[in-house]
Amino acid sequence: MLLVISILIVLGYTAYLICKIYFNTDKLTGTTGMIIVMSLGMVSSLVIGLISGIVYHNNLTTSTMIAVISSLIVGYFLGNKLGLLVTIEGMVASLMGSMMGAMLGVMLPSGKYQIMLVFMDFLYIIVASLIFLLISNIVRKSSDKAPTIINSYTLISMMAILSVIVLIAAFYNGNYVRKQIDDRPVESKMYEHSHH
């Protein structure tokens, strides 16, 4: 459940921001466009790599290859409209993030990934919302329009999604802790019995 939510959040927000970049290509020139593409490419590929490492837990090769290919595609679409240099920067940043995420996912103990995944989702949503605000501010300054209420609604919706993720993760973690507490007396009884 948490994996599906994480995938949907990353794909949804990344696709939305790619569209926002495409529609405002002329305003996101130079260093600003490069920073946007690199930041979003890195943070989205970290989560993609982590999810891939969790799904293919016992196979670092497969998880890394899937994460790298997915992230290269994301990096390409992020920088495609801003020129070849920005595209290369986006793809390389995505490549690096996906490899780190995949290694982290494989290293996590099996079935104990919830807190790390929530942390990465939290990180992703913060960076994605900051990038969204940056693009919105650049577009508003260049068009000389008054500030709109859309920014507030977007941030509120992002925080609502973040709260849902945290609640789900807390539920999973609570079940895990409860299971550990339930299992402990059985283990201690077996330990005592073996020493008698």
Side-chain angles (χ1 to χ4, degrees), residues 20 31 53 63-64 68 92 124 139 167 172 192 194:
K20 202 153 177 65
T31 312
S63 64
T64 303
V68 165
V92 171
Y124 174 81
V139 170
L167 287 173
Y172 275 121
E192 289 170 8
S194 66

Side-chain angles (χ1 to χ4, degrees), residues 108-127:
L108 290 172
S110 184
K112 300 176 186 175
Y113 60 82
Q114 288 85 5
I115 298 300
M116 181 55 73
L117 189 56
V118 167
F119 176 73
M120 286 297 181
D121 288 340
F122 179 75
L123 186 70
Y124 174 81
I125 289 173
I126 288 173
V127 173

